Amino acid sequence: MSKAEPLRFYNLKEFADFSQAHGIDTNHRKLSVYRKRGKLPEPSAYVGNKAGWTKEQIDSWIEEYKNTHPR
């Protein structure tokens, strides 16, 4: 029996880092504005007042963003 991977949540800066790595011109501040405008998925978790997203949520958002913002 193998051990399950622990559930990992990524903060907004990490979200921005993943987005940049996929060629999306963004940063922590820009994603903060997107979040306030409802353009990011709802966080899956909070630690205190810090939001956290799963890798799957981030990957899905990146794909959706690329499809709606062609270069």
Side-chain angles (χ1 to χ4, degrees):
M1 183 175 211
S2 64
K3 286 187 176 180
E5 289 290 318
L7 191 53
R8 170 84 159 87
F9 297 102
Y10 298 89
N11 64 32
L12 199 57
K13 180 179 181 327
E14 292 167 315
F15 197 136
D17 292 344
F18 283 126
S19 300
Q20 288 173 349
H22 284 84
I24 299 172
D25 181 25
T26 191
N27 57 42
H28 179 268
R29 285 185 174 175
K30 188 182 258 188
L31 286 187
S32 181
V33 171
Y34 282 8
R35 182 173 174 219
K36 288 177 184 173
R37 293 180 179 169
K39 297 182 184 255
L40 292 184
E42 283 295 316
S44 289
Y46 285 91
V47 177
N49 64 348
K50 301 292 182 186
W53 292 266
T54 64
K55 183 72 167 81
E56 291 79 17
Q57 285 180 293
I58 295 168
D59 289 342
S60 178
W61 183 86
I62 288 170
E63 285 305 311
E64 183 179 326
Y65 185 93
K66 285 181 166 184
N67 290 333
T68 58
H69 296 83
R71 291 185 168 173

